[in-house]
Amino acid sequence: MEFLLGNPYSTPVGQCTEKATDGSLQSEDWALNMEICDIINETEEGPKDAIRALRKRLNGNRNYREVMLGLTVLETCVKNCGHRFHVLVASRDFIDGVLVKIISPKNNPPAIVQDKVLALIQAWADAFRSSPDLTGVVHIYEELKRKGIEFPMADLDALSPIHTPQRLCTAQSEPEGDPATNMCISQSQQGINSAPSFTSPLPPTYAATQVPALQVTGPINANSEQIARLRSELDIVRGNTKVMSEMLTEMVPGQEETSDLELLQELNRTCRAMQQRIVELISRVSNEEVTEELLHVNDDLNNVFLRYERSVSLKQFIHISSVRGLLHKT
């Protein structure tokens, strides 16, 4: 396949991936990792080229330092890239053909590698469960559980969201690429902030819409630090809800730009995934004040979803009326 398609490391994102996963690195190069995310988000071939490069680094590699760096790059890209990349990563072909192979008994990887792979599969299975075109990882996760594979224990500290980054607008330039992953937000709209639970802080030029990731079972008795983190996450949910609400207020039905509609759809999908996680937490967090905050945020989400559904219905009505008008004229 490499003979037909060329060296996966020869593309711009492939070159960055090769450097970011070089075993001689003393630690993760977060600037390079985020550059990979930029290329994925801003170029047509970025997602496919990145997957090819990561396959090359991860498949059959017994240098587990490079494998761990590759898994970190992969995790960073899933957290910071959009649907085009998620579709490729969540596919059965990638999960089973790359990640599951890493932890196969014949490879006998170190426990840290096995735990990392299983944690990623578990997180993505939960995060993508409600997206029909992303359920390949869900099926693999359930198959592994049926085979008796034990996944790492999830707790509140593991609530590391999946991020879809949005470039903040500047007067000099506008972002290019997939509008669903390049939303422009003015300084007055910065309810969406860099994610506090990201293992290394995102650069301040990024804002993040978030999809909660891991499933937690049983009651959660959170300490003060965990509650502070959860409240930070809720602030980001509120910010995403605010942006969605402001878009619905500003958009004129029937006169929307295609890019705005696509972005609004992405926000709707992201916020619904957030709500699913919030509903889970409402019944499990034992702190009454936090539970009250969760209920308020859930109400805000329900209100913005109702506005979104009304907007969609009105748009459909305007479209049907327009078609009927054209038919009447002819």
Side-chain angles (χ1 to χ4, degrees):
M1 185 63 70
E2 186 172 319
F3 176 77
L4 296 175
L5 298 178
N7 182 357
Y9 295 153
S10 65
T11 65
V13 73
Q15 292 173 8
C16 291
T17 301
E18 183 179 25
K19 293 176 183 177
T21 58
D22 190 300
S24 65
L25 288 176
Q26 296 301 310
S27 62
E28 296 90 344
D29 188 332
W30 291 111
L32 197 52
N33 291 353
M34 294 310 301
E35 185 177 346
I36 292 169
C37 296
D38 283 342
I39 298 173
I40 291 172
N41 289 330
E42 296 171 6
T43 64
E44 185 67 27
E45 298 299 321
K48 292 181 181 179
D49 288 343
I51 287 295
R52 288 182 61 226
L54 286 166
R55 276 181 178 273
K56 182 174 177 63
R57 182 59 85 194
L58 297 174
N59 272 341
N61 193 347
R62 294 303 181 93
N63 182 335
Y64 289 109
R65 172 64 182 163
E66 291 185 347
V67 170
M68 285 298 291
L69 288 170
L71 292 173
T72 298
V73 170
L74 177 62
E75 180 183 22
T76 304
C77 292
V78 170
K79 287 181 176 181
N80 292 280
C81 298
H83 191 68
R84 295 186 305 148
F85 187 74
H86 292 168
V87 168
L88 300 175
V89 172
S91 69
R92 174 178 286 272
D93 178 60
F94 185 81
I95 299 298
D96 197 33
V98 178
L99 296 189
V100 174
K101 279 187 177 180
I102 293 174
I103 60 174
S104 67
K106 70 175 184 178
N107 288 329
N108 192 27
I112 189 173
V113 173
Q114 180 163 319
D115 287 347
K116 181 69 171 179
V117 169
L118 292 175
L120 291 178
I121 293 174
Q122 180 176 238
W124 299 341
D126 189 68
F128 298 144
R129 190 174 298 275
S130 60
S131 300
D133 52 348
L134 301 177
T135 54
V137 64
V138 179
H139 299 322
I140 296 295
Y141 171 65
E142 292 172 347
E143 289 172 10
L144 292 174
K145 288 187 69 175
R146 284 195 296 269
K147 291 177 180 178
I149 300 296
E150 294 186 8
F151 284 81
M153 184 71 68
D155 58 26
L156 194 60
D157 283 329
L159 290 176
S160 178
I162 288 177
H163 312 295
T164 303
Q166 273 69 36
R167 282 287 197 184
L168 295 181
C169 285
T170 63
Q172 291 79 17
S173 63
E174 294 185 358
E176 297 179 356
D178 187 351
T181 56
N182 291 295
M183 177 172 58
C184 296
I185 305 171
S186 68
Q187 295 298 319
S188 64
Q189 293 174 313
Q190 290 182 29
I192 304 178
N193 300 309
S194 295
S197 58
F198 189 50
T199 53
S200 178
L202 290 177
T205 53
Y206 278 87
T209 55
Q210 305 199 359
V211 180
L214 295 181
Q215 182 178 6
V216 180
T217 57
I220 299 173
N221 297 308
N223 59 36
S224 58
E225 181 181 352
Q226 291 172 324
I227 289 174
R229 284 186 59 193
L230 182 56
R231 280 176 168 153
S232 295
E233 301 290 349
L234 287 178
D235 285 342
I236 297 172
V237 176
R238 292 187 187 99
N240 292 338
T241 306
K242 178 183 176 183
V243 171
M244 188 172 178
S245 178
E246 289 177 351
M247 287 191 69
L248 288 168
T249 299
E250 295 172 3
M251 292 170 65
V252 178
Q255 300 179 25
E256 309 95 331
E257 295 289 337
T258 301
S259 59
D260 289 338
L261 289 174
E262 291 175 350
L263 175 55
L264 192 59
Q265 290 168 1
E266 179 75 10
L267 270 173
N268 178 61
R269 178 169 55 191
T270 302
C271 287
R272 287 188 184 277
M274 292 175 184
Q275 186 185 43
Q276 182 181 0
R277 186 73 189 100
I278 287 172
V279 169
E280 290 177 7
L281 288 172
I282 286 172
S283 61
R284 291 175 182 157
V285 174
S286 56
N287 185 297
E288 291 185 6
E289 290 183 6
V290 174
T291 299
E292 185 176 354
E293 289 182 49
L294 289 166
L295 288 168
H296 282 307
V297 172
N298 188 52
D299 287 343
D300 291 341
L301 285 168
N302 283 330
N303 288 334
V304 80
F305 292 151
L306 181 60
R307 290 185 61 199
Y308 174 78
E309 289 164 4
R310 287 173 177 168
S311 173
V312 171
S313 298
L314 181 57
K315 181 177 179 297
Q316 291 173 343
F317 174 77
I318 292 173
H319 176 71
I320 292 172
S321 298
S322 175
V323 171
R324 285 177 177 172
L326 290 172
L327 292 175
H328 180 72
K329 289 180 180 179
T330 58

